[in-house]
Amino acid sequence: MKSAARALEIVECVAEAGALSFNDIVARLGLPKSSAHGLLRTLEGEGWLVQESETRRFTLGLKVWQLGQRYDGHRGLAETAKPIMDALARSTGETVQLARLDGVENVYIAISLSPNPMRMASTVGMRLHAHATGIGKALLSTLDPGEARRRLSAVVLPRLTARTVTDPDELMRIVTRTADVGYAVDDEEFVEGCRCVAVPLTAEGETGIAAALSVTLPTQRTPDGWPRSLYAPLAHAAEEIRAAMGL
């Protein structure tokens, strides 16, 4: 079990970095060199990792891609939502994101980028701290309150800006309010100069996953009446997606 856990840690570490040398992997994960050699050889032999001949750095192998293609847990939702998200990005001029919750992190499963040159840099598969993002708080609001509190209290929540809320009790008040009013905001809590409005989209009991939808924008483009001014088109898009999913 210990070797299996370490092998998974190596794959995740390489995936996050893109490419790592043997020494980088050992240093980042604190592995004994003898164990790391054996694990890397096994992962390379089974196709999970590839070692570049010139740089000697490890990258993800074809096996990772093959396995990823078989996972369709949120594919139907993402494919259904994408045209509606594209339309919302055009009408608001801002980036629209769809995410699901994994622990206390939101994982982005679809993104429609703002047509403006100044926009938040985000990619599908990116993971961000749920407590510091509007979409993350919207996702937490879909959980049973006891489960949401357990997750927020189980880890140290980093303070990313002066506005980041890290106290679990205060976060639970925000999550509860989100469930009541139907939307959550990020007012420069994840990164300075960036705001977000988000709505819960689906719960696990409906689709098997909890998902949320958001509009993200730089503070200098914040429209009058924010966040309510963005909530209306965002909520309408969410209802379109739900209807298209038959929910």
Side-chain angles (χ1 to χ4, degrees):
M1 290 295 293
K2 189 174 183 180
S3 294
R6 284 180 169 177
L8 291 171
E9 286 179 352
I10 290 173
V11 173
E12 290 179 357
C13 186
V14 172
E16 182 177 346
L20 290 173
S21 69
F22 172 80
N23 288 333
D24 288 336
I25 293 170
V26 168
R28 290 191 181 207
L29 298 178
L31 297 175
K33 288 188 175 181
S34 56
S35 299
H37 271 298
L39 290 169
L40 286 166
R41 293 285 78 82
T42 298
L43 289 168
E44 186 180 11
E46 295 296 324
W48 293 96
L49 295 179
V50 174
Q51 188 172 32
E52 300 170 345
S53 57
E54 293 185 4
T55 65
R56 307 304 295 166
R57 295 189 304 173
F58 290 91
T59 60
L60 294 181
L62 185 60
K63 184 67 71 64
V64 177
W65 178 85
Q66 290 175 321
L67 188 62
Q69 296 309 298
R70 296 175 187 170
Y71 176 76
D72 60 359
H74 55 245
R75 185 171 298 168
L77 174 59
E79 290 177 351
T80 300
K82 192 61 169 65
I84 299 170
M85 293 170 61
D86 290 344
L88 182 59
R90 288 192 298 269
S91 66
T92 61
E94 305 301 345
T95 295
V96 178
Q97 300 176 104
L98 177 66
R100 61 179 299 181
L101 189 64
D102 183 17
V104 287
E105 294 181 319
N106 31 281
V107 182
Y108 293 93
I109 61 176
I111 296 172
S112 296
L113 292 174
S114 164
N116 291 294
M118 180 182 291
R119 60 198 182 200
M120 180 179 177
S122 57
T123 57
V124 171
M126 185 171 67
R127 307 170 71 95
L128 298 182
H129 299 286
H131 74 284
T133 61
I135 203 167
K137 285 176 278 190
L139 285 165
L140 287 166
S141 76
T142 68
L143 299 177
D144 175 83
E147 174 61 15
R149 179 178 291 277
R150 185 192 68 77
R151 295 191 192 192
L152 291 170
S153 302
V155 296
V156 177
L157 302 172
R159 185 177 301 279
L160 305 174
T161 75
R163 293 175 177 263
T164 308
V165 178
T166 59
D167 177 66
D169 290 335
E170 179 62 23
L171 284 167
M172 282 306 304
R173 284 191 284 272
I174 294 171
V175 169
T176 299
R177 183 174 183 275
T178 297
D180 290 339
V181 303
Y183 69 91
V185 301
D186 160 13
D187 189 1
E188 300 187 84
E189 296 160 52
F190 180 75
V191 62
E192 293 181 1
C194 184
R195 284 174 168 161
C196 165
V197 186
V199 296
L201 182 61
T202 61
E204 290 189 3
E206 295 174 310
T207 63
I209 64 170
L213 188 69
S214 72
V215 173
T216 303
L217 66 159
T219 53
Q220 55 264 53
R221 285 207 303 268
T222 303
D224 294 337
W226 181 88
R228 293 291 303 183
S229 56
L230 285 174
Y231 169 66
L234 181 59
H236 179 70
E239 283 306 311
E240 285 190 288
I241 295 170
R242 288 176 57 83
M245 293 286 294
L247 300 174

